[in-house]
Amino acid sequence: MKPPRRKFLQLAAGAAALPAASRIAWAQAYPSRPVRLVVGFPAGGTNDIHARLMAEWLSKHFGRSFIVENRAGAGGNIGFESVVRAAPDGYTFSVCGSSELRNEIRYNELKFSFMHDTASVASIMLAMNVLVVHPASPVHSVPELIAAAKANPDAMTVASSGLGSTPHVFWELFRSMTGTRMLHVPYRGGAPALTDVLGQQVQVFFATPADAMEHIKSGRLRALAVTGATRTPALPDVPTIGEFVPGYEAMGWLGIVAPKDTPAPIIEVLNQAINAGLADAKIKQTIVDWGETVFATSPAGFGKFLADEHEKWGKVIRAANIKL
């Protein structure tokens, strides 16, 4: 008797060689056992809560367990690499985002590639950040911020949640498009960065809506602008940066990818199930309540989006010489 793993891989390879009709029938029996959704960050974070939201939906949809597995470390690289190295059998996926995509640009020596070693499955959401200052700041708008930064280069401080983090690269894009200079102050996470903005230890921060919304509404933070192409219903009176800096747009996102060579019929079945979940009124409202936008597309559409994001942020990161 052949070893079970070898036998399974032969079956999977055989399925890939079947005629299209047979492959679709094979995918219709999917899944036949629990499916892992790997998150490269600790429980309770953005990736994790979205993974659990989708896992609950998919478990009900398929009648099989979709299990969230947290494998944190190295900026998401540990968990992500475990997915890249997994068998492409449709039973291991990564719930990932812009941080994992940027890692192959930021890190000097990775043994895998986001773009070449994965297959796009489904997008989940888009999220803009909010450019905030303390209410005691003399800066009340984006033009005033640009003017103040240009008048005193490196005198103002801009916080981030770490070198190469989303707030950092959003700032670097802003800096490159406006010709401004501020002193970058990286923190170990968004929470301590926001704490020091509230305490007036640093002056500027590109915060997530989830972290900043309560403070904005209570008057403890002043929102200057949002980073999306359009205003958000959550803050309808807050302009976009693009209204003052034409062409500026910076969005975070989350989606699901599989190991390269995962059978296309399985990817399509899972994509349809996820999109059905994103169309569910309860799930849609949950994502909106988190200050985000539902983002549903096809595997090919998501792949095109990832390629565009990789090119855009690659230029920003290389220009700023961000290396980890």
Side-chain angles (χ1 to χ4, degrees):
M1 183 178 291
K2 295 177 180 177
R5 175 174 172 79
R6 182 179 175 188
K7 183 177 180 180
F8 178 80
L9 291 175
Q10 288 178 336
L11 288 173
L18 290 174
S22 297
R23 292 179 66 192
I24 292 172
W26 185 67
Q28 287 173 343
Y30 169 87
S32 60
R33 56 188 173 86
V35 178
R36 294 189 305 140
L37 300 179
V38 178
V39 174
F41 297 93
T46 299
N47 292 41
D48 179 74
I49 61 174
H50 289 81
R52 294 183 189 280
L53 182 69
M54 297 314 303
E56 181 180 4
W57 167 265
L58 292 170
S59 295
K60 292 178 180 177
H61 181 86
F62 287 107
R64 293 284 183 179
S65 296
F66 279 70
I67 302 167
V68 176
E69 180 180 317
N70 298 92
R71 302 194 65 177
N77 284 330
I78 291 176
F80 194 79
E81 185 172 7
S82 74
V83 174
V84 168
R85 305 301 181 203
D89 54 15
Y91 289 90
T92 304
F93 298 91
S94 170
V95 179
C96 57
S98 42
S99 292
E100 290 90 335
L101 178 70
R102 292 193 300 265
N103 278 350
E104 71 175 84
I105 308 166
R106 297 185 296 168
Y107 283 83
N108 288 317
E109 296 181 3
L110 287 183
K111 298 178 181 178
F112 60 89
S113 166
F114 187 108
M115 297 303 297
H116 298 293
D117 295 333
T118 64
S120 305
V121 177
S123 50
I124 297 174
M125 68 81 168
L126 292 170
M128 60 184 72
N129 280 27
V130 186
L131 177 58
V132 297
V133 297
H134 191 275
S137 170
V139 172
H140 290 78
S141 67
V142 170
E144 288 184 7
L145 176 66
I146 294 171
K150 286 186 174 181
N152 296 286
D154 295 325
M156 299 184 72
T157 52
V158 56
S160 81
S161 51
L163 189 67
S165 64
T166 294
H168 182 197
V169 297
F170 282 15
W171 153 247
E172 289 292 350
L173 179 62
F174 181 85
R175 179 196 59 76
S176 67
M177 295 181 71
T178 59
T180 52
R181 283 171 47 188
M182 296 185 197
L183 179 63
H184 173 223
V185 184
Y187 287 79
R188 292 186 176 182
L194 193 62
T195 296
D196 274 8
V197 176
L198 291 166
Q200 300 187 69
Q201 304 302 310
V202 286
Q203 295 163 284
V204 181
F205 185 41
F206 284 78
T208 65
D211 290 339
M213 195 67 71
E214 179 183 343
H215 300 298
I216 292 170
K217 291 181 176 180
S218 67
R220 293 192 294 271
L221 285 176
R222 177 185 298 144
L224 301 184
V226 294
T227 64
T230 60
R231 298 190 183 195
T232 173
L235 297 167
D237 296 327
V238 177
T240 68
I241 292 177
E243 292 176 40
F244 310 104
V245 185
Y248 184 95
E249 180 184 4
M251 299 289 285
W253 55 268
L254 284 180
I256 295 178
V257 300
K260 183 181 178 181
D261 297 327
T262 297
I266 287 180
I267 288 177
E268 188 60 37
V269 166
L270 194 59
N271 175 270
Q272 291 176 5
I274 291 168
N275 286 349
L278 295 174
D280 176 77
K282 183 178 179 181
I283 290 179
K284 185 183 294 186
Q285 189 59 50
T286 298
I287 291 175
V288 170
D289 289 344
W290 287 340
E292 302 160 354
T293 302
V294 170
F295 178 31
T297 187
S298 65
F302 188 36
K304 173 65 166 56
F305 171 82
L306 294 178
D308 291 343
E309 284 286 287
H310 188 268
E311 180 180 5
K312 174 179 181 174
W313 295 112
K315 291 177 179 178
V316 173
I317 290 169
R318 284 188 287 271
N321 196 29
I322 301 171
K323 287 294 182 182
L324 302 178

